[in-house]
Amino acid sequence: VTGVWSIVVAGGSGRRFGRRKQFSLLGGRPVLEWAVEACRPVSSGVVLVVPAEGSSASSESHGADVVVAGGPSRSESVRRGLDAVPADAVVVLVHDAARPLASASVFDAVVDAVTRGGVDGAVPGLAVADTVKTVTEVDGVRRVAATLDRRTLVVVQTPQAFRADVLRRAHREGAESGIEATDDATLVEAIGGSVCVVPGDPGNFKITTPDDLRAAEERLPAAGAG
Amino acid sequence: VTGVWSIVVAGGSGRRFGRRKQFSLLGGRPVLEWAVEACRPVSSGVVLVVPAEGSSASSESHGADVVVAGGPSRSESVRRGLDAVPADAVVVLVHDAARPLASASVFDAVVDAVTRGGVDGAVPGLAVADTVKTVTEVDGVRRVAATLDRRTLVVVQTPQAFRADVLRRAHREGAESGIEATDDATLVEAIGGSVCVVPGDPGNFKITTPDDLRAAEERLPAAGAG
Protein backbone atom coordinates (compact mmCIF):
# COMPACT_ATOMS: atom_id res chain seq x y z
CA VAL A 1 0.00 0.00 0.00
CA THR A 2 1.52 3.30 -1.03
CA GLY A 3 1.65 6.12 1.47
CA VAL A 4 0.78 4.07 4.55
CA TRP A 5 3.37 4.09 7.33
CA SER A 6 3.17 2.31 10.66
CA ILE A 7 4.54 3.28 14.05
CA VAL A 8 5.01 0.41 16.50
CA VAL A 9 5.26 1.78 20.04
CA ALA A 10 7.42 -0.16 22.47
CA GLY A 11 8.63 2.96 24.29
CA GLY A 12 6.93 4.85 27.05
CA SER A 13 7.36 5.13 30.76
CA GLY A 14 6.85 1.46 31.56
CA ARG A 15 4.20 2.32 34.14
CA ARG A 16 1.48 0.71 32.06
CA PHE A 17 3.53 -1.29 29.58
CA GLY A 18 5.50 -3.85 31.59
CA ARG A 19 8.85 -2.63 30.37
CA ARG A 20 10.13 -5.95 29.21
CA LYS A 21 6.88 -7.58 28.04
CA GLN A 22 7.38 -6.41 24.49
CA PHE A 23 10.82 -8.04 24.49
CA SER A 24 9.60 -11.36 25.94
CA LEU A 25 9.97 -14.30 23.60
CA LEU A 26 6.86 -15.56 21.86
CA GLY A 27 7.39 -18.55 19.60
CA GLY A 28 11.13 -17.86 19.89
CA ARG A 29 10.95 -14.20 18.77
CA PRO A 30 10.45 -10.98 20.73
CA VAL A 31 6.79 -9.96 21.02
CA LEU A 32 7.47 -6.65 19.26
CA GLU A 33 8.80 -8.44 16.15
CA TRP A 34 5.40 -10.04 15.69
CA ALA A 35 3.82 -6.60 16.04
CA VAL A 36 6.17 -5.13 13.41
CA GLU A 37 5.53 -8.06 11.08
CA ALA A 38 1.76 -7.70 11.48
CA CYS A 39 2.01 -4.13 10.11
CA ARG A 40 3.94 -5.21 6.98
CA PRO A 41 1.13 -6.19 4.58
CA VAL A 42 -0.48 -2.72 4.69
CA SER A 43 2.67 -0.61 5.20
CA SER A 44 5.20 1.10 2.96
CA GLY A 45 7.44 1.35 5.99
CA VAL A 46 7.50 0.68 9.71
CA VAL A 47 8.99 2.89 12.44
CA LEU A 48 9.72 1.12 15.73
CA VAL A 49 9.88 3.22 18.89
CA VAL A 50 11.90 1.53 21.64
CA PRO A 51 12.43 2.57 25.27
CA ALA A 52 15.05 5.30 25.50
CA GLU A 53 16.95 3.36 28.18
CA GLY A 54 17.08 0.12 26.19
CA SER A 55 20.04 1.13 24.05
CA SER A 56 21.19 -2.45 23.62
CA ALA A 57 17.70 -3.40 22.45
CA SER A 58 17.49 -0.42 20.12
CA SER A 59 20.61 -1.47 18.26
CA GLU A 60 18.48 -4.20 16.67
CA SER A 61 15.90 -3.34 14.03
CA HIS A 62 13.45 -6.14 14.92
CA GLY A 63 12.31 -6.04 11.31
CA ALA A 64 11.50 -2.31 11.24
CA ASP A 65 12.80 0.17 8.66
CA VAL A 66 13.60 2.83 11.23
CA VAL A 67 14.21 2.54 14.98
CA VAL A 68 13.93 5.59 17.22
CA ALA A 69 14.17 6.09 20.98
CA GLY A 70 10.92 6.76 22.84
CA GLY A 71 10.07 9.55 25.27
CA PRO A 72 8.80 9.73 28.83
CA SER A 73 5.15 9.10 27.89
CA ARG A 74 3.31 7.02 25.33
CA SER A 75 2.22 10.14 23.43
CA GLU A 76 5.74 11.54 23.40
CA SER A 77 7.01 8.21 22.05
CA VAL A 78 4.47 8.30 19.23
CA ARG A 79 5.49 11.90 18.46
CA ARG A 80 9.11 10.79 18.06
CA GLY A 81 7.94 8.00 15.80
CA LEU A 82 5.92 10.47 13.74
CA ASP A 83 9.02 12.62 13.23
CA ALA A 84 10.60 9.62 11.50
CA VAL A 85 7.64 9.02 9.15
CA PRO A 86 8.28 10.44 5.65
CA ALA A 87 6.51 13.74 4.95
CA ASP A 88 4.63 12.24 1.98
CA ALA A 89 2.90 9.52 4.02
CA VAL A 90 -0.87 9.82 3.61
CA VAL A 91 -2.07 7.42 6.30
CA VAL A 92 -0.27 6.63 9.57
CA LEU A 93 -1.01 3.56 11.67
CA VAL A 94 -0.12 3.40 15.35
CA HIS A 95 0.20 -0.07 16.86
CA ASP A 96 1.13 -1.28 20.36
CA ALA A 97 4.28 -3.44 20.38
CA ALA A 98 2.57 -5.57 23.03
CA ARG A 99 -0.18 -6.68 20.59
CA PRO A 100 1.58 -9.36 18.53
CA LEU A 101 -1.61 -11.09 17.34
CA ALA A 102 -3.43 -8.32 15.46
CA SER A 103 -4.99 -9.93 12.40
CA ALA A 104 -4.55 -8.78 8.81
CA SER A 105 -8.28 -8.09 8.64
CA VAL A 106 -8.12 -5.58 11.49
CA PHE A 107 -5.28 -3.74 9.72
CA ASP A 108 -7.26 -3.78 6.47
CA ALA A 109 -10.38 -2.51 8.20
CA VAL A 110 -8.79 0.56 9.80
CA VAL A 111 -6.78 1.47 6.70
CA ASP A 112 -9.83 1.02 4.44
CA ALA A 113 -11.98 3.20 6.67
CA VAL A 114 -9.50 6.08 6.49
CA THR A 115 -8.62 5.79 2.79
CA ARG A 116 -12.33 5.58 1.89
CA GLY A 117 -12.60 9.10 3.31
CA GLY A 118 -15.14 10.84 5.50
CA VAL A 119 -13.26 10.20 8.72
CA ASP A 120 -9.92 11.30 10.14
CA GLY A 121 -9.25 8.07 11.96
CA ALA A 122 -10.41 4.52 12.60
CA VAL A 123 -9.98 2.32 15.66
CA PRO A 124 -10.85 -1.33 16.35
CA GLY A 125 -13.44 -1.62 19.09
CA LEU A 126 -14.85 -4.54 21.06
CA ALA A 127 -18.19 -4.69 22.78
CA VAL A 128 -18.03 -4.50 26.56
CA ALA A 129 -19.07 -7.78 28.19
CA ASP A 130 -19.13 -6.57 31.78
CA THR A 131 -21.09 -3.94 33.64
CA VAL A 132 -19.10 -0.71 33.80
CA LYS A 133 -19.79 1.99 36.38
CA THR A 134 -18.34 5.39 37.10
CA VAL A 135 -17.16 6.08 40.64
CA THR A 136 -16.60 9.12 42.79
CA GLU A 137 -14.66 9.17 46.02
CA VAL A 138 -16.47 10.67 49.00
CA ASP A 139 -14.64 10.78 52.36
CA GLY A 140 -12.30 8.01 51.24
CA VAL A 141 -15.15 5.70 50.16
CA ARG A 142 -15.57 4.90 46.50
CA ARG A 143 -19.23 5.20 45.58
CA VAL A 144 -20.98 4.34 42.35
CA ALA A 145 -21.89 7.53 40.49
CA ALA A 146 -23.60 5.91 37.51
CA THR A 147 -23.90 2.69 35.55
CA LEU A 148 -23.03 3.19 31.90
CA ASP A 149 -25.15 1.83 29.07
CA ARG A 150 -22.76 -0.79 27.80
CA ARG A 151 -24.41 -0.90 24.38
CA THR A 152 -22.81 2.50 23.77
CA LEU A 153 -19.34 1.47 24.99
CA VAL A 154 -16.37 0.02 23.15
CA VAL A 155 -13.00 -1.11 24.42
CA VAL A 156 -10.50 0.06 21.85
CA GLN A 157 -7.38 -1.65 20.57
CA THR A 158 -4.62 -0.88 18.13
CA PRO A 159 -3.81 -0.71 15.20
CA GLN A 160 -5.37 2.73 14.92
CA ALA A 161 -5.22 4.45 11.50
CA PHE A 162 -5.27 8.19 10.83
CA ARG A 163 -4.92 10.74 8.09
CA ALA A 164 -1.24 11.65 8.48
CA ASP A 165 -1.83 15.41 8.48
CA VAL A 166 -4.53 15.18 11.14
CA LEU A 167 -2.46 12.89 13.38
CA ARG A 168 0.53 15.24 13.14
CA ARG A 169 -1.62 18.23 14.09
CA ALA A 170 -3.29 16.28 16.92
CA HIS A 171 0.08 15.36 18.39
CA ARG A 172 1.42 18.90 18.01
CA GLU A 173 -1.59 20.38 19.80
CA GLY A 174 -1.69 17.55 22.34
CA ALA A 175 1.93 18.24 23.29
CA GLU A 176 1.18 21.95 23.70
CA SER A 177 -1.86 21.37 25.91
CA GLY A 178 -0.18 18.53 27.82
CA ILE A 179 -2.98 15.98 27.38
CA GLU A 180 -2.12 12.57 28.87
CA ALA A 181 -3.84 10.34 26.31
CA THR A 182 -3.99 6.56 26.54
CA ASP A 183 -4.44 6.25 22.79
CA ASP A 184 -3.87 8.37 19.69
CA ALA A 185 -7.53 8.63 18.77
CA THR A 186 -8.11 10.65 21.95
CA LEU A 187 -5.73 13.35 20.66
CA VAL A 188 -7.49 13.40 17.28
CA GLU A 189 -10.86 13.65 19.02
CA ALA A 190 -9.52 16.52 21.14
CA ILE A 191 -8.90 18.65 18.03
CA GLY A 192 -12.38 17.86 16.71
CA GLY A 193 -11.34 15.06 14.34
CA SER A 194 -13.83 12.33 13.49
CA VAL A 195 -12.93 8.75 14.39
CA CYS A 196 -14.93 5.70 13.41
CA VAL A 197 -14.99 2.32 15.10
CA VAL A 198 -14.45 -0.91 13.14
CA PRO A 199 -14.90 -4.38 14.61
CA GLY A 200 -11.98 -5.36 16.83
CA ASP A 201 -10.57 -8.83 17.31
CA PRO A 202 -10.81 -10.53 20.73
CA GLY A 203 -7.60 -12.42 19.93
CA ASN A 204 -5.72 -9.13 19.54
CA PHE A 205 -5.14 -8.70 23.25
CA LYS A 206 -2.29 -6.79 24.84
CA ILE A 207 0.45 -8.85 26.48
CA THR A 208 0.77 -7.53 30.00
CA THR A 209 1.13 -10.64 32.18
CA PRO A 210 2.83 -14.05 31.97
CA ASP A 211 -0.68 -15.54 31.53
CA ASP A 212 -1.20 -13.34 28.46
CA LEU A 213 2.08 -14.57 27.04
CA ARG A 214 1.03 -18.20 27.51
CA ALA A 215 -2.35 -17.50 25.90
CA ALA A 216 -0.61 -15.83 22.95
CA GLU A 217 1.73 -18.78 22.58
CA GLU A 218 -1.28 -21.06 22.10
CA ARG A 219 -2.71 -18.81 19.41
CA LEU A 220 0.41 -18.41 17.29
CA PRO A 221 -0.02 -19.42 13.66
CA ALA A 222 1.75 -22.75 13.21
CA ALA A 223 3.98 -21.46 10.42
CA GLY A 224 5.42 -18.67 12.50
CA ALA A 225 5.86 -20.58 15.73
CA GLY A 226 8.78 -22.67 14.55
CA VAL B 1 -22.92 -15.22 59.54
CA THR B 2 -26.49 -14.77 60.74
CA GLY B 3 -28.98 -13.12 58.45
CA VAL B 4 -26.89 -13.28 55.27
CA TRP B 5 -28.42 -15.21 52.38
CA SER B 6 -26.93 -15.73 48.94
CA ILE B 7 -28.61 -16.07 45.56
CA VAL B 8 -26.56 -17.83 42.88
CA VAL B 9 -27.95 -17.02 39.45
CA ALA B 10 -27.59 -19.68 36.78
CA GLY B 11 -30.91 -18.85 35.15
CA GLY B 12 -31.69 -16.16 32.63
CA SER B 13 -32.26 -16.09 28.95
CA GLY B 14 -28.93 -17.59 27.91
CA ARG B 15 -28.28 -14.74 25.53
CA ARG B 16 -25.38 -13.52 27.62
CA PHE B 17 -24.76 -16.52 29.82
CA GLY B 18 -23.78 -19.37 27.53
CA ARG B 19 -26.60 -21.63 28.66
CA ARG B 20 -24.49 -24.61 29.50
CA LYS B 21 -21.32 -22.88 30.73
CA GLN B 22 -22.45 -22.93 34.35
CA PHE B 23 -22.98 -26.69 34.06
CA SER B 24 -19.58 -27.37 32.44
CA LEU B 25 -17.26 -29.47 34.54
CA LEU B 26 -14.44 -27.70 36.33
CA GLY B 27 -12.16 -29.97 38.36
CA GLY B 28 -14.80 -32.67 37.94
CA ARG B 29 -17.71 -30.61 39.31
CA PRO B 30 -20.20 -28.27 37.61
CA VAL B 31 -19.04 -24.64 37.56
CA LEU B 32 -22.12 -23.55 39.52
CA GLU B 33 -21.27 -25.87 42.43
CA TRP B 34 -18.03 -23.96 42.93
CA ALA B 35 -20.03 -20.73 42.91
CA VAL B 36 -22.47 -22.10 45.51
CA GLU B 37 -19.61 -23.34 47.66
CA ALA B 38 -17.85 -19.98 47.47
CA CYS B 39 -20.92 -18.36 49.08
CA ARG B 40 -20.98 -20.79 52.02
CA PRO B 41 -18.54 -19.18 54.49
CA VAL B 42 -20.56 -15.94 54.71
CA SER B 43 -24.07 -17.37 54.19
CA SER B 44 -26.82 -18.72 56.43
CA GLY B 45 -28.34 -20.21 53.31
CA VAL B 46 -27.92 -20.33 49.55
CA VAL B 47 -30.68 -20.13 46.91
CA LEU B 48 -29.71 -21.46 43.47
CA VAL B 49 -31.66 -20.18 40.47
CA VAL B 50 -31.46 -22.56 37.49
CA PRO B 51 -32.73 -22.13 33.93
CA ALA B 52 -36.47 -22.81 33.77
CA GLU B 53 -35.98 -25.23 30.88
CA GLY B 54 -33.27 -27.28 32.59
CA SER B 55 -35.67 -29.39 34.61
CA SER B 56 -33.28 -32.32 34.71
CA ALA B 57 -30.52 -30.04 36.00
CA SER B 58 -32.84 -28.42 38.55
CA SER B 59 -33.63 -31.74 40.18
CA GLU B 60 -30.15 -31.58 41.70
CA SER B 61 -29.36 -29.18 44.53
CA HIS B 62 -25.70 -28.60 43.57
CA GLY B 63 -25.05 -27.90 47.23
CA ALA B 64 -27.69 -25.17 47.60
CA ASP B 65 -30.39 -25.11 50.30
CA VAL B 66 -33.13 -24.10 47.88
CA VAL B 67 -33.34 -24.48 44.10
CA VAL B 68 -35.80 -22.39 42.09
CA ALA B 69 -36.48 -22.01 38.38
CA GLY B 70 -35.31 -18.78 36.73
CA GLY B 71 -37.25 -16.37 34.57
CA PRO B 72 -36.84 -14.92 31.09
CA SER B 73 -34.27 -12.30 32.17
CA ARG B 74 -31.45 -12.12 34.65
CA SER B 75 -33.35 -9.65 36.83
CA GLU B 76 -36.47 -11.82 36.79
CA SER B 77 -34.35 -14.80 37.82
CA VAL B 78 -32.94 -12.88 40.77
CA ARG B 79 -36.49 -11.82 41.74
CA ARG B 80 -37.55 -15.47 41.86
CA GLY B 81 -34.49 -16.22 43.99
CA LEU B 82 -35.36 -13.32 46.32
CA ASP B 83 -38.85 -14.79 46.83
CA ALA B 84 -37.17 -17.88 48.27
CA VAL B 85 -34.95 -15.92 50.70
CA PRO B 86 -36.38 -15.95 54.26
CA ALA B 87 -38.13 -12.75 55.29
CA ASP B 88 -35.74 -12.21 58.22
CA ALA B 89 -32.60 -12.11 56.07
CA VAL B 90 -30.75 -8.84 56.69
CA VAL B 91 -28.18 -8.93 53.90
CA VAL B 92 -28.60 -10.59 50.49
CA LEU B 93 -25.71 -11.50 48.23
CA VAL B 94 -26.19 -12.04 44.50
CA HIS B 95 -23.51 -14.07 42.73
CA ASP B 96 -23.14 -15.24 39.12
CA ALA B 97 -23.08 -19.04 38.79
CA ALA B 98 -20.44 -18.56 36.09
CA ARG B 99 -17.92 -17.08 38.56
CA PRO B 100 -16.58 -20.16 40.34
CA LEU B 101 -13.35 -18.55 41.55
CA ALA B 102 -14.59 -15.67 43.70
CA SER B 103 -12.29 -15.50 46.72
CA ALA B 104 -13.38 -15.52 50.35
CA SER B 105 -11.89 -12.06 50.77
CA VAL B 106 -14.17 -10.58 48.10
CA PHE B 107 -17.21 -12.08 49.84
CA ASP B 108 -15.99 -10.72 53.17
CA ALA B 109 -15.38 -7.28 51.71
CA VAL B 110 -18.87 -6.80 50.24
CA VAL B 111 -20.64 -8.22 53.31
CA ASP B 112 -18.51 -6.12 55.68
CA ALA B 113 -19.21 -2.94 53.71
CA VAL B 114 -22.98 -3.46 53.97
CA THR B 115 -23.09 -4.64 57.60
CA ARG B 116 -20.84 -1.74 58.65
CA GLY B 117 -23.67 0.53 57.51
CA GLY B 118 -23.79 3.77 55.58
CA VAL B 119 -24.40 2.11 52.22
CA ASP B 120 -27.22 0.04 50.73
CA GLY B 121 -24.96 -2.16 48.66
CA ALA B 122 -21.37 -3.05 47.82
CA VAL B 123 -19.88 -4.38 44.60
CA PRO B 124 -16.36 -5.59 43.68
CA GLY B 125 -14.79 -3.38 41.04
CA LEU B 126 -11.65 -3.65 38.94
CA ALA B 127 -9.73 -0.81 37.36
CA VAL B 128 -10.11 -0.56 33.59
CA ALA B 129 -6.87 -1.37 31.76
CA ASP B 130 -7.98 -0.40 28.26
CA THR B 131 -9.16 2.79 26.66
CA VAL B 132 -12.97 2.92 26.66
CA LYS B 133 -14.95 5.15 24.33
CA THR B 134 -18.62 5.86 23.81
CA VAL B 135 -19.98 5.50 20.30
CA THR B 136 -22.95 6.84 18.38
CA GLU B 137 -24.19 5.48 15.11
CA VAL B 138 -24.58 8.02 12.30
CA ASP B 139 -25.81 6.80 8.91
CA GLY B 140 -24.76 3.27 9.75
CA VAL B 141 -21.23 4.29 10.72
CA ARG B 142 -20.17 3.96 14.34
CA ARG B 143 -18.36 7.09 15.41
CA VAL B 144 -16.53 7.85 18.60
CA ALA B 145 -18.59 10.23 20.73
CA ALA B 146 -16.18 10.55 23.65
CA THR B 147 -13.23 8.91 25.36
CA LEU B 148 -13.98 8.20 29.00
CA ASP B 149 -11.57 9.01 31.81
CA ARG B 150 -10.68 5.50 32.82
CA ARG B 151 -9.54 6.58 36.28
CA THR B 152 -13.24 7.05 37.08
CA LEU B 153 -14.32 3.67 35.64
CA VAL B 154 -14.68 0.27 37.25
CA VAL B 155 -15.65 -3.05 35.74
CA VAL B 156 -17.91 -4.69 38.28
CA GLN B 157 -18.15 -8.33 39.29
CA THR B 158 -20.22 -10.40 41.65
CA PRO B 159 -20.73 -11.21 44.54
CA GLN B 160 -22.73 -8.04 45.14
CA ALA B 161 -24.14 -7.51 48.67
CA PHE B 162 -27.20 -5.47 49.59
CA ARG B 163 -29.42 -4.60 52.50
CA ALA B 164 -32.22 -7.13 51.99
CA ASP B 165 -35.05 -4.58 52.30
CA VAL B 166 -33.45 -2.26 49.76
CA LEU B 167 -32.76 -5.05 47.27
CA ARG B 168 -36.35 -6.26 47.52
CA ARG B 169 -37.70 -2.77 46.90
CA ALA B 170 -35.24 -2.20 44.03
CA HIS B 171 -36.36 -5.40 42.32
CA ARG B 172 -40.05 -4.62 42.87
CA GLU B 173 -39.70 -1.17 41.35
CA GLY B 174 -37.35 -2.43 38.64
CA ALA B 175 -39.96 -4.99 37.57
CA GLU B 176 -42.65 -2.30 37.45
CA SER B 177 -40.58 0.07 35.36
CA GLY B 178 -39.19 -2.73 33.19
CA ILE B 179 -35.51 -1.82 33.56
CA GLU B 180 -33.18 -4.30 31.81
CA ALA B 181 -30.29 -4.27 34.26
CA THR B 182 -27.07 -6.20 33.78
CA ASP B 183 -26.44 -6.29 37.51
CA ASP B 184 -28.41 -5.84 40.72
CA ALA B 185 -26.59 -2.72 41.84
CA THR B 186 -28.06 -0.89 38.85
CA LEU B 187 -31.58 -1.49 40.21
CA VAL B 188 -30.54 -0.26 43.66
CA GLU B 189 -28.95 2.83 42.10
CA ALA B 190 -32.16 3.42 40.13
CA ILE B 191 -34.17 3.85 43.34
CA GLY B 192 -31.55 6.20 44.78
CA GLY B 193 -29.70 3.62 46.86
CA SER B 194 -26.03 4.12 47.65
CA VAL B 195 -23.58 1.49 46.45
CA CYS B 196 -19.89 1.42 47.31
CA VAL B 197 -17.10 -0.25 45.38
CA VAL B 198 -14.63 -2.60 47.08
CA PRO B 199 -11.52 -4.01 45.39
CA GLY B 200 -12.39 -6.81 42.96
CA ASP B 201 -10.30 -9.85 42.19
CA PRO B 202 -8.86 -10.31 38.67
CA GLY B 203 -9.02 -14.09 39.17
CA ASN B 204 -12.78 -13.88 39.71
CA PHE B 205 -13.59 -13.85 36.01
CA LYS B 206 -16.81 -15.05 34.42
CA ILE B 207 -16.64 -18.33 32.51
CA THR B 208 -18.04 -17.59 29.08
CA THR B 209 -15.71 -19.41 26.67
CA PRO B 210 -13.79 -22.71 26.58
CA ASP B 211 -10.61 -20.65 27.07
CA ASP B 212 -12.06 -19.25 30.30
CA LEU B 213 -12.79 -22.77 31.48
CA ARG B 214 -9.21 -23.83 30.81
CA ALA B 215 -7.87 -20.77 32.62
CA ALA B 216 -10.14 -21.54 35.59
CA GLU B 217 -8.96 -25.14 35.64
CA GLU B 218 -5.38 -23.90 36.10
CA ARG B 219 -6.40 -21.69 39.01
CA LEU B 220 -8.37 -24.24 41.01
CA PRO B 221 -7.18 -24.69 44.56
CA ALA B 222 -5.33 -28.03 44.70
CA ALA B 223 -7.53 -29.41 47.48
CA GLY B 224 -10.73 -28.91 45.51
CA ALA B 225 -9.47 -30.08 42.15
CA GLY B 226 -9.18 -33.73 43.03
Side-chain angles (χ1 to χ4, degrees):
Chain A
V1 182
T2 312
V4 178
W5 272 70
S6 293
I7 300 171
V8 174
V9 198
S13 70
R15 265 178 307 136
R16 288 184 50 226
F17 261 81
R19 168 108 41 203
R20 306 243 69 83
K21 287 294 178 301
Q22 60 271 47
F23 293 103
S24 298
L25 292 187
L26 174 65
R29 298 163 56 196
V31 164
L32 57 81
E33 285 190 12
W34 293 93
V36 168
E37 187 172 290
C39 296
R40 277 288 166 211
V42 296
S43 306
S44 308
V46 180
V47 176
L48 173 64
V49 186
V50 295
E53 309 79 5
S55 53
S56 67
S58 64
S59 63
E60 288 181 54
S61 77
H62 296 292
D65 299 290
V66 185
V67 180
V68 300
S73 69
R74 184 184 185 287
S75 292
E76 184 54 34
S77 293
V78 174
R79 267 189 282 282
R80 295 182 189 187
L82 261 178
D83 289 341
V85 169
D88 63 356
V90 177
V91 172
V92 175
L93 281 165
V94 183
H95 187 41
D96 291 334
R99 294 191 191 267
L101 301 179
S103 63
S105 65
V106 169
F107 278 93
D108 288 344
V110 292
V111 171
D112 284 355
V114 172
T115 53
R116 207 184 304 127
V119 295
D120 298 308
V123 300
L126 292 176
V128 173
D130 297 302
T131 302
V132 179
K133 297 180 191 283
T134 58
V135 291
T136 48
E137 196 159 321
V138 182
D139 296 334
V141 178
R142 297 169 81 212
R143 298 251 177 144
V144 173
T147 297
L148 303 176
D149 179 353
R150 71 176 173 198
R151 292 168 301 182
T152 68
L153 301 179
V154 286
V155 172
V156 303
Q157 309 178 320
T158 69
Q160 301 189 344
F162 303 95
R163 283 178 47 193
D165 55 342
V166 175
L167 186 64
R168 287 187 201 272
R169 186 157 64 86
H171 267 283
R172 203 160 49 232
E173 298 193 13
E176 283 162 12
S177 57
I179 297 178
E180 267 280 355
T182 54
D183 73 346
D184 298 89
T186 300
L187 297 176
V188 169
E189 294 153 36
I191 62 164
S194 61
V195 176
C196 72
V197 179
V198 304
D201 172 4
N204 176 26
F205 51 85
K206 201 192 292 189
I207 309 275
T208 54
T209 68
D211 277 356
D212 295 336
L213 199 59
R214 273 191 293 273
E217 198 84 35
E218 284 176 18
R219 285 158 191 265
L220 281 185
Chain B
V1 184
T2 312
V4 177
W5 273 70
S6 293
I7 300 170
V8 174
V9 199
S13 70
R15 265 178 306 135
R16 288 183 51 225
F17 261 81
R19 168 107 44 201
R20 305 243 70 82
K21 288 293 177 302
Q22 59 272 47
F23 294 103
S24 298
L25 292 186
L26 173 65
R29 298 163 57 196
V31 165
L32 58 82
E33 286 190 11
W34 293 93
V36 169
E37 187 171 291
C39 295
R40 277 289 167 208
V42 295
S43 306
S44 309
V46 180
V47 176
L48 173 65
V49 187
V50 295
E53 308 81 4
S55 53
S56 68
S58 64
S59 64
E60 288 181 53
S61 77
H62 296 293
D65 299 291
V66 186
V67 179
V68 300
S73 69
R74 184 184 185 286
S75 292
E76 184 54 35
S77 293
V78 174
R79 268 189 281 282
R80 295 183 188 187
L82 261 178
D83 289 341
V85 169
D88 62 356
V90 178
V91 172
V92 175
L93 281 164
V94 183
H95 187 42
D96 291 334
R99 294 192 190 267
L101 301 179
S103 63
S105 64
V106 169
F107 278 92
D108 288 343
V110 291
V111 171
D112 285 355
V114 173
T115 53
R116 206 183 306 125
V119 295
D120 298 308
V123 301
L126 293 175
V128 172
D130 297 301
T131 302
V132 179
K133 297 178 191 284
T134 58
V135 291
T136 49
E137 195 160 323
V138 182
D139 298 334
V141 178
R142 297 170 80 213
R143 298 249 178 148
V144 173
T147 296
L148 303 176
D149 178 353
R150 71 178 172 195
R151 292 167 301 181
T152 68
L153 301 179
V154 286
V155 172
V156 302
Q157 309 178 320
T158 69
Q160 301 189 344
F162 303 96
R163 284 178 47 191
D165 56 342
V166 176
L167 185 64
R168 288 189 201 272
R169 185 157 64 86
H171 267 284
R172 205 160 47 234
E173 298 193 14
E176 284 163 11
S177 57
I179 297 178
E180 269 279 355
T182 55
D183 74 346
D184 298 89
T186 301
L187 297 177
V188 170
E189 294 153 35
I191 61 165
S194 61
V195 177
C196 72
V197 179
V198 305
D201 172 5
N204 176 26
F205 52 86
K206 201 191 292 188
I207 309 277
T208 55
T209 68
D211 278 357
D212 295 336
L213 200 59
R214 272 192 294 273
E217 198 84 36
E218 285 176 18
R219 283 158 191 265
L220 281 185

